[in-house]
């Protein structure tokens, strides 16, 4: 069972979480719980690091930001004990959850679950702080923002859990962010592949890596709400959203829509390089330095060559990497040979996702037409087998998501 930041925000809510956990144990399950820091706490800790020194040491940043989850894991163990349960916490380094050395964005290597399994079999409820681990050098690491989802899936895989229930502040995965579109519909099932794609294009209800890991390890993941009454049925019967394989889905959902969901991402920035020489090697010169700096380039357009054998190249990078990207490109100006560099942070990426796209034509054109009808200009396009993304002006984000939600017939029918 994993509980996110909003679910853990304050002792009152932690006591409710304890009751939900205890009920699962009372129903006969062995449980391990992974918790997030209280909502807002990680942001607060990150700010402390920035204030202390904008060029902070990532290893010490990890020591600071991992503390949020240490607090909530201890508090949940206390709250469980108050209900008469036998509970204890295991910090990342105690279990241990071994990760690679990459601070602030570590990946889990392995989890030693023997002690955990032995204690769980004795009826102990294990409480594990999400987001944190320990490196080979014995230092505290963290997994990147939203990483508690990944901790939960990794623990579930390590103890060979029947299920990994992700409790959050919405009661499942919706066709789009229910906080933006009131008519969003809850999905009973979504495939790993679709969830992976949705998460990676901005549906932050699950961290992308947690979905990838669940897919690889075959962990059954369910998303459900922690804001439930004390007399609500146990998790086995609550209808959240189940992440399923393609094969499972085929047998379940005959009436499936072509598009599963729509996501948006405001954390991208656009860069245009003007008058780049239109010759072999030019694009390699641009993206080489960015790749070396581990900057993830997403959408790319190379315009048709103009006269004099020149062309404009436009692409997107994470907004957080914009300054560094500009710097690297300026340094490589000579070898790339561009004229001007034009940054733009006033953009958002809107994506429609669905496995149905594999076998149906016209998905992209529906998108382009719906946006054109509302006067929304498209600045860049990218596609995969099950996704179409467009880059638009940020101010139109909410409008675009709502219009597309209607255009693909996803709106919930009013009761
Ligand atoms: P937690 O703290 O529990 O990890 P998050 O804030 O990380 O919670 O994720 C839950 C949030 O994800 C919801 O409050 C919702 O606004 C957002 N969200 C974005 N896209 C979706 C979607 N398609 N379905 C459900 N929630 C979504
Ligand atoms: N507390 C961490 C964060 O805010 C991890 C998580 O909540 O998943 O990013
Ligand atoms: Mg989260």
């Amino acid at each position: 069972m994993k509980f996110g930041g909003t679910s853990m925000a304050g002792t009152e809510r932690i006591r409710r979480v304890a009751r939900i956990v205890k009920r699962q144990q009372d129903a006969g399950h062995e449980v391990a719980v992974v918790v997030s820091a209280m909502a807002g706490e990680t942001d607060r800790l990150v700010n402390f690091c920035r204030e202390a020194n904008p060029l902070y040491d990532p290893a010490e940043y990890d020591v600071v930001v991992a503390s949020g989850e240490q607090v909530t894991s201890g508090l949940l163990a206390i709250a469980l004990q108050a209900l008469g349960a036998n509970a204890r916490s295991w910090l990342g380094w105690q279990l241990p959850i071994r990760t690679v050395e990459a601070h602030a964005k570590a990946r889990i290597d392995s989890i030693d679950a023997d002690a955990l399994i032995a204690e769980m079999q004795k009826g102990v409820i294990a409480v594990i702080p999400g987001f944190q681990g320990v490196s080979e050098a014995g230092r505290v690491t963290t997994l990147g923002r939203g990483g508690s989802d990944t901790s939960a899936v990794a623990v579930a895989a390590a103890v060979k859990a029947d299920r990994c229930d992700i409790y959050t502040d919405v009661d499942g995965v919706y066709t789009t962010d229910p906080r933006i579109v009131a008519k969003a519909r809850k999905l009973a099932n979504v495939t790993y592949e679709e969830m992976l794609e949705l998460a990676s294009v901005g549906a932050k209800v699950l961290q992308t890596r947690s979905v990838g890991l669940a897919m690889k390890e075959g962990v059954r993941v369910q998303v459900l709400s922690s804001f439930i009454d004390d007399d609500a049925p146990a998790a086995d019967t609550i209808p959240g959203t189940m992440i399923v394989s393609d094969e499972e889905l085929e047998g379940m959902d005959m009436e499936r829509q072509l598009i599963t969901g729509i996501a948006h991402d405001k954390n991208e920035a656009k860069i245009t390089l003007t008058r780049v020489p239109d010759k072999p090697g030019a694009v390699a010169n641009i993206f080489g330095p960015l790749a070396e700096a581990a900057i993830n380039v997403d959408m790319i357009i190379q315009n048709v060559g103009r006269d004099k054998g020149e062309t404009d190249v436009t692409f997107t990078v994470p907004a957080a990497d914009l300054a560094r990207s500009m710097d690297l490109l300026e340094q490589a100006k000579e070898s790339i040979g561009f004229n001007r560099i034009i940054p733009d942070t006033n953009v958002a990426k809107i994506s429609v996702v669905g496995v149905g796209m594999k076998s149906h034509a016209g998905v992209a054109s529906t998108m382009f037409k719906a946006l054109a009808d509302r006067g929304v200009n498209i600045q860049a396009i990218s596609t995969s087998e099950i996704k179409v993304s467009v880059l638009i002006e940020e101010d139109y984000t909410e409008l675009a998501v709502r219009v597309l939600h209607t255009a693909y017939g996803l709106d919930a029918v009013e009761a």
Side-chain angles (χ1 to χ4, degrees):
M1 306 173 76
K2 180 260 172 176
F3 293 87
T6 319
S7 312
M8 297 298 289
T11 40
E12 189 72 31
R13 288 184 184 177
I14 291 176
R15 284 210 301 271
R16 173 174 37 209
V17 166
R19 292 194 295 273
I20 297 174
V21 172
K22 178 76 165 36
R23 239 183 310 144
Q24 285 300 107
Q25 189 185 44
D26 292 345
H29 300 294
E30 287 169 15
V31 283
V33 191
V34 171
V35 295
S36 287
M38 294 190 198
E41 179 63 8
T42 310
D43 288 339
R44 197 175 74 97
L45 297 168
V46 170
N47 275 328
F48 281 143
C49 294
R50 291 200 182 122
E51 278 168 27
N53 179 3
L55 296 172
Y56 51 74
D57 171 10
E60 297 304 342
Y61 160 98
D62 278 350
V63 173
V64 176
V65 299
S67 68
E69 272 77 8
Q70 172 160 345
V71 171
T72 46
S73 57
L75 287 173
L76 180 58
I78 292 173
L80 282 164
Q81 289 163 2
L83 298 177
N86 193 352
R88 72 152 277 194
S89 64
W90 269 274
L91 298 184
W93 60 269
Q94 292 173 317
L95 214 49
I97 296 181
R98 291 187 202 285
T99 75
V100 297
E101 196 72 39
H103 285 285
K105 46 173 187 249
R107 283 170 183 278
I108 298 177
D109 257 348
S110 65
I111 297 182
D112 209 333
D114 293 350
L116 198 61
I117 293 171
E119 291 297 310
M120 285 168 72
Q121 284 170 347
K122 283 189 237 157
V124 176
I125 298 176
V127 186
I128 299 161
F131 188 46
Q132 57 171 256
V134 62
S135 73
E136 209 160 321
R139 304 209 62 182
V140 173
T141 53
T142 63
L143 308 180
R145 298 306 304 271
S148 295
D149 297 328
T150 303
S151 307
V153 170
V155 169
V159 302
K160 301 195 169 54
D162 298 309
R163 214 171 57 222
C164 178
D165 285 343
I166 307 269
Y167 287 84
T168 182
D169 55 5
V170 285
D171 61 354
V173 177
Y174 280 70
T175 46
T176 193
D177 190 338
R179 297 189 197 285
I180 291 197
V181 180
K183 289 178 184 163
R185 262 190 307 117
K186 188 166 85 180
L187 298 162
N189 309 289
V190 59
T191 67
Y192 288 103
E193 202 184 2
E194 287 169 323
M195 194 61 235
L196 193 62
E197 198 87 54
L198 276 170
S200 74
V201 294
K204 66 160 187 167
V205 58
L206 290 176
Q207 196 198 32
T208 311
R209 273 165 51 204
S210 71
V211 186
L213 188 65
M215 191 166 164
K216 180 167 147 266
E217 300 284 335
V219 176
R220 285 186 78 74
V221 175
Q222 175 173 231
V223 178
L224 65 175
S225 173
S226 74
F227 292 82
I228 46 178
D229 298 332
D230 276 350
D231 53 6
D236 308 78
T237 50
I238 293 176
T241 298
M242 192 65 87
I243 321 283
V244 298
S245 64
D246 271 354
E247 298 77 56
E248 274 178 279
L249 185 75
E250 258 163 40
M252 282 160 129
D253 213 342
M254 310 293 287
E255 305 269 309
R256 225 155 182 266
Q257 306 283 347
L258 183 54
I259 295 303
T260 308
I262 300 172
H264 69 276
D265 185 355
K266 295 181 178 177
N267 295 314
E268 294 217 10
K270 182 178 77 166
I271 296 176
T272 300
L273 297 180
T274 66
R275 300 180 55 191
V276 177
D278 194 5
K279 62 168 198 225
V283 204
N285 287 341
I286 298 173
F287 296 116
L290 298 177
E292 268 165 42
I295 293 169
N296 238 326
V297 174
D298 182 20
M299 307 171 109
I300 303 174
I301 341 171
Q302 180 178 340
N303 295 322
V304 186
R306 291 194 289 223
D307 32 275
K308 288 193 269 166
E310 290 172 337
T311 178
D312 292 350
V313 177
T314 299
F315 54 92
T316 62
V317 295
D321 291 331
L322 178 62
R324 224 152 41 95
S325 305
M326 301 269 292
D327 194 43
L328 288 165
L329 292 165
E330 284 295 351
Q331 283 175 37
K333 184 164 186 179
E334 202 83 335
S335 66
I336 301 170
F338 60 88
N339 179 39
R340 275 206 312 145
I341 175 163
I342 308 167
D344 184 1
T345 50
N346 186 25
V347 291
K349 184 172 74 174
I350 314 292
S351 308
V352 301
V353 173
V355 280
M357 249 180 241
K358 283 182 185 173
S359 50
H360 281 80
V363 169
S365 76
T366 302
M367 183 176 199
F368 304 153
K369 174 142 197 331
L371 294 175
D373 286 349
R374 301 304 286 263
V376 179
N377 190 36
I378 296 171
Q379 306 179 14
I381 302 166
S382 71
T383 64
S384 79
E385 217 180 10
I386 64 165
K387 175 200 79 184
V388 184
S389 301
V390 295
L391 197 71
I392 63 168
E393 195 180 319
E394 185 174 333
D395 296 347
Y396 292 112
T397 307
E398 283 76 15
L399 172 71
V401 172
R402 254 183 280 120
V403 163
L404 293 173
H405 201 265
T406 305
Y408 288 109
L410 295 175
D411 290 351
V413 224
E414 270 164 61

